[in-house]
Amino acid sequence: MTTATLHKTVYTVSEEPRILLIEEFLSHAECDALVRLAAPSLKRSTVVCDDGSLEAHAARTSRGMYFQRAQLPIVDRIEKRIEESFGHPVVNGEGFQVLHYAEGAEYKPHYDYFDPALPGTAQHTKSGGNRIATVLLYLNQPDEGGETIFPDLGLKVQPLKGGALYFAYPEPSPDSLSLHGGAPVVRGEKFVATKWIRERAYV
């Protein structure tokens, strides 16, 4: 499957669940700019607890920061590219989270949706509903390790600078087979930008 002007090739990694890998979704200049702009604001990443609160956790050892939607021209441009490429309106997306993984850092397997059975979920889904898809933008390439893993599918995706990985999970259930994680970085470092997509407009 070839595309028009935004990127070169789309690979279907999985039909069910839907996982797509796009080469050269970002230029190297765009990748470098996002890393440079994010670097001064990076702080220890957090996870969502069962009660809805956020806290640092040993399962996630990266550092991260958020750009609000359309906060900068480069952010606005990439968000519109995501809308054109995957069909999700810009207003349904959360702000970009840029993450930095140093050597040894990882994110153990997890789901991106909010579990409807947990007491803290309502506070996170009252605007926009639940998450239904994720876009990962690889801003660099570690020397070794740092793959995006899908344990239920036996898949590993190697980060390639400028690439975009899209996966959908229309229902908030383990049956979505969307369990995924970031394998430990063995050598070098990894920068990635994450865009979570909601069911409807997120404000």
Side-chain angles (χ1 to χ4, degrees), residues 27-42:
S27 70
H28 283 204
E30 288 174 323
C31 293
D32 296 343
L34 286 176
V35 170
R36 183 178 67 253
L37 291 165
S41 302
L42 294 171

Side-chain angles (χ1 to χ4, degrees), residues 53-92:
S53 63
L54 303 175
E55 68 174 28
H57 193 281
R60 191 184 196 195
T61 50
S62 60
R63 296 185 303 145
M65 60 80 67
Y66 280 93
F67 289 116
Q68 298 303 310
R69 283 202 311 257
Q71 179 177 337
L72 299 168
I74 186 175
V75 172
D76 184 50
R77 182 169 69 247
I78 295 169
E79 288 171 335
K80 290 175 179 175
R81 193 177 305 165
I82 288 173
E83 176 180 21
E84 181 175 338
S85 300
F86 303 113
H88 299 289
V90 169
V91 294
N92 289 17

Side-chain angles (χ1 to χ4, degrees), residues 18-131:
R18 187 179 182 220
I19 304 177
L20 304 175
L21 179 64
I22 302 180
E23 287 185 337
E24 300 181 22
F25 189 81
L26 302 179
S27 70
H28 283 204
E30 288 174 323
C31 293
D32 296 343
L34 286 176
V35 170
R36 183 178 67 253
L37 291 165
S41 302
L42 294 171
K43 297 179 180 179
R44 175 68 188 272
S45 300
T46 59
V47 300
V48 178
C49 301
D50 290 357
D51 64 1
S53 63
L54 303 175
E55 68 174 28
H57 193 281
R60 191 184 196 195
T61 50
S62 60
R63 296 185 303 145
M65 60 80 67
Y66 280 93
F67 289 116
Q68 298 303 310
R69 283 202 311 257
Q71 179 177 337
L72 299 168
I74 186 175
V75 172
D76 184 50
R77 182 169 69 247
I78 295 169
E79 288 171 335
K80 290 175 179 175
R81 193 177 305 165
I82 288 173
E83 176 180 21
E84 181 175 338
S85 300
F86 303 113
H88 299 289
V90 169
V91 294
N92 289 17
E94 298 180 31
F96 274 117
Q97 186 180 40
V98 177
L99 298 163
H100 173 242
Y101 292 81
E103 284 191 6
E106 64 178 323
Y107 196 174
K108 293 187 181 297
H110 60 283
Y111 299 100
D112 281 349
Y113 60 76
F114 301 103
D115 187 342
L118 296 179
T121 288
Q123 65 180 286
H124 291 288
T125 58
K126 61 184 177 182
S127 176
N130 217 321
R131 293 170 175 168

Side-chain angles (χ1 to χ4, degrees), residues 124-143:
H124 291 288
T125 58
K126 61 184 177 182
S127 176
N130 217 321
R131 293 170 175 168
I132 60 169
T134 299
V135 182
L136 295 177
L137 304 175
Y138 297 117
L139 305 183
N140 81 323
Q141 184 173 341
D143 296 326

Side-chain angles (χ1 to χ4, degrees), residues 135-156:
V135 182
L136 295 177
L137 304 175
Y138 297 117
L139 305 183
N140 81 323
Q141 184 173 341
D143 296 326
E144 184 180 356
E147 301 92 347
T148 302
I149 59 174
F150 293 86
D152 291 342
L153 302 172
L155 289 177
K156 287 186 178 182

